[in-house]
Amino acid sequence: MPRSDDGTITAQPPADRLTLRSNKIRVEVVQGPDAGAVVELPGPEARVGSDPGCDLQLKDRKVSRLHLVLRIERDRIRVIDPGSRNGTTVDGVQVRDAYARPDSSIMIGSSALRLRMLSTIVELPLSTRDRFGGLLGSSVAMRRIFAVLERVAPTDTTLLIEGESGTGKELAARGVHEASTRAGGPFVVFDCSTASSSLLESELFGHKKGAFTGALEDRVGMFEEADGGTLFLDELGELPPDLQPKLLRVLESGEVRRVGSNKPRRVDIRVVAATNRSLPRAVELGAFREDLYYRLAVVPIRLPPLRERPEDIPLLVRHLEQQLASRIPAAAPLPEHVVNLFAEQSWPGNVRELRNAVARALALGAPEPAGSKPQSPSESGRLDVRIDEPLLVGRTRIAREYEKLYMELALKQTGGNVSQAAELAGIGRKFAYTLIHRFGLRGSVEGPSDPV
């Protein structure tokens, strides 16, 4: 069966159904309050922490609510610490993002874990579509999310959408609204980070005339505006602590009171919340109410950043190109080498940053491909600056030249040993192999690691 980019195996599905086949992860707790426990977690991703919502809940008080994310990538298990309180170590080395070997000892809090990938296979549904609302992607990661959104959209279930800035959280919320029975009602967006703390309550719940200085007339709040539809609470992690119990009360009772009024008003809404912060971490720090978190995170959905789904970038570039065509009518289609260049970048600003880069390339013209042997800065004695190409494209080109020269020197110094070259460069061996393949370099052949 074909193997996907994230290391899981995709089945040959019926025409009307697509599934993801993934290995299970065996976790053995060898030290700590749960010592002796052995669990099998379904891949390709599992959460470990003290929170009951985690796939593996530990009793260790030194373990954060969400302490660890385990992700299957090809034949290895990736260990990600999303920001725990006490950190994570792999074989005595503190890490934020690393790969575990079969014999690795992973310490979180006072608990030690050992991991192994099992041959046992689980099947997970995938969407047959490459878009949901305004979200676009044909990668396994996005099709898994589309499958979940397609199932929950027709219900009134509360959703919590997590993800970095620019990953499309509002597009996901709007898509859920448009695919729901509330599609004929309003879709109201409220950004919890934009209004001042003193005005937030009035913005959300409305106010009565004379309730405070400047309240010259009655005002309808966002909850009442969204009556019969969907209220999207963006940047929920920025909500001040004093407003959190009031929001919880509205969610539980379905009634809202305007500031300065004792009369409750019934509202019929669905709430979809979004955040780019770790709310479990905020709960641990006392900055966010635990009961409110559980009330909102009925179905948590994490939108992956572009660096975790680079195979979607060409599709996104062409889609953005079509969107921007009406604004830049004279622009020529971007050549393939530019699209490929975009696909090789990490895009910390995600789709929002990619959109700006596409617009810039269309407006200013795409750069010509570099020559077969570009002159490096060290060879010329100065940077090869080309005023006829956009700044960010030129910066990427020079960075590529630097990466190639650096890896050539690192491999030369280590006698072609990839592991030693990666250690010298301060990067992971997987990324070192990526650079070697990208630039056509030669390194000593090392056998694949054993399955974890």
Side-chain angles (χ1 to χ4, degrees):
M1 295 183 183
R3 186 175 290 272
S4 67
D5 288 339
D6 64 359
T8 53
I9 301 174
T10 53
Q12 298 294 338
D16 61 344
R17 192 169 70 92
L18 194 63
T19 60
L20 170 70
R21 304 188 71 214
S22 173
N23 299 82
K24 283 187 174 183
I25 304 172
R26 180 182 184 270
V27 183
E28 178 185 2
V29 184
V30 297
Q31 178 183 317
D34 299 280
V38 178
V39 295
E40 295 182 4
L41 306 176
E45 186 172 291
R47 295 183 168 199
V48 179
S50 59
D51 191 284
C54 289
D55 301 288
L56 172 57
Q57 182 187 8
L58 298 175
K59 300 173 185 174
D60 191 343
R61 292 184 178 181
K62 295 182 179 180
V63 168
S64 297
R65 292 178 179 274
L66 174 57
H67 200 115
L68 211 58
V69 176
L70 306 175
R71 186 178 300 156
I72 296 176
E73 293 187 357
R74 297 194 181 276
D75 60 349
R76 295 187 292 176
I77 299 178
R78 186 175 173 185
V79 177
I80 303 169
D81 185 327
S84 67
R85 181 176 66 250
N86 295 319
T88 298
T89 64
V90 176
D91 296 332
V93 178
Q94 189 158 0
V95 302
R96 289 295 298 272
D97 192 336
Y99 289 97
R101 299 195 311 268
D103 58 344
S104 290
S105 174
I106 301 171
M107 289 292 303
I108 59 174
S110 60
S111 298
L113 313 176
R114 281 206 176 92
L115 313 178
R116 183 167 295 277
M117 192 187 304
L118 302 177
S119 58
T120 310
I121 299 294
V122 293
E123 288 196 359
L124 303 169
L126 294 179
S127 175
T128 57
R129 301 188 296 175
D130 62 2
R131 65 183 63 216
F132 180 86
L135 293 175
L136 186 66
S138 59
S139 62
V140 169
M142 292 305 289
R143 287 183 186 271
R144 285 187 65 206
I145 291 169
F146 295 165
V148 175
L149 293 175
E150 288 165 3
R151 290 201 304 273
V152 301
T155 72
D156 267 349
T157 305
T158 304
L159 305 182
L160 177 62
I161 304 173
E162 303 167 295
E164 298 176 6
S165 295
T167 51
K169 297 186 289 293
E170 183 174 338
L171 290 177
R174 191 178 294 274
V176 166
H177 172 73
E178 292 171 351
S180 74
T181 57
R182 297 175 175 273
F187 178 77
V188 178
V189 179
F190 182 72
D191 189 336
C192 298
S193 66
T194 56
S196 65
S197 180
S198 59
L199 295 177
L200 267 174
E201 186 174 6
S202 172
E203 292 277 350
L204 276 174
F205 310 128
H207 64 248
K208 187 177 175 60
K209 179 180 178 180
F212 51 84
T213 303
L216 303 179
E217 57 185 3
D218 289 354
R219 174 171 181 166
V220 174
M222 295 294 177
F223 274 90
E224 290 184 73
E225 279 191 24
D227 193 23
T230 303
L231 175 60
F232 175 54
L233 297 175
D234 199 8
E235 302 299 348
L236 185 71
E238 305 299 324
L239 193 68
D242 59 314
L243 279 185
Q244 293 175 20
K246 297 178 181 179
L247 173 58
L248 178 63
R249 193 177 305 120
V250 174
L251 294 175
E252 291 180 337
S253 68
E255 294 181 342
V256 61
R257 281 189 176 87
R258 295 182 182 179
V259 178
S261 173
N262 293 323
K263 181 181 178 182
R265 298 170 183 268
R266 193 79 186 168
V267 289
D268 173 27
I269 63 170
R270 179 189 198 166
V271 172
V272 178
T275 178
N276 62 8
R277 295 175 55 187
S278 171
L279 288 190
R281 175 67 169 154
V283 170
E284 270 188 319
L285 296 174
F288 201 86
R289 287 180 64 106
E290 183 177 32
D291 47 4
L292 178 57
Y293 169 71
Y294 286 124
R295 181 65 180 78
L296 290 166
V298 177
V299 177
I301 293 172
R302 174 186 173 272
L303 294 181
L306 274 185
R307 63 181 175 275
E308 292 183 9
R309 55 182 188 112
E311 63 270 37
D312 286 336
I313 292 178
L315 180 66
L316 289 166
V317 170
R318 294 306 183 192
H319 175 72
L320 293 169
E321 193 177 47
Q322 292 178 0
Q323 278 190 335
L324 295 165
S326 60
R327 302 183 186 181
I328 316 173
L334 296 177
E336 283 301 314
H337 81 271
V338 173
V339 177
N340 293 335
L341 186 65
F342 284 154
E344 293 175 355
Q345 299 181 54
S346 60
W347 302 107
N350 295 297
V351 181
R352 186 177 295 122
E353 183 184 0
L354 178 63
R355 179 186 177 88
N356 292 340
V358 171
R360 190 161 46 245
L362 289 172
L364 300 178
E368 292 299 317
S372 58
K373 187 177 180 182
Q375 190 178 36
S376 70
S378 63
E379 293 169 337
S380 65
R382 56 174 293 177
L383 293 177
D384 182 17
V385 177
R386 303 173 188 172
I387 201 65
D388 61 337
E389 70 182 2
L391 184 148
L392 293 182
V393 174
R395 185 180 70 180
T396 300
R397 172 178 53 78
I398 291 173
R400 283 170 56 85
E401 295 169 9
Y402 180 86
E403 287 176 344
K404 179 180 179 181
L405 182 59
Y406 190 105
M407 287 306 299
E408 285 177 341
L409 294 174
L411 289 169
K412 182 178 180 181
Q413 184 168 330
T414 60
N417 186 295
V418 178
S419 294
Q420 292 179 13
E423 185 175 355
L424 180 66
I427 59 177
R429 192 173 68 168
K430 180 180 180 181
F431 184 52
Y433 273 119
T434 299
L435 293 178
I436 290 169
H437 176 73
R438 179 182 299 166
F439 301 125
L441 305 178
R442 288 182 174 272
S444 60
V445 179
E446 303 177 47
S449 58
D450 295 330
V452 178

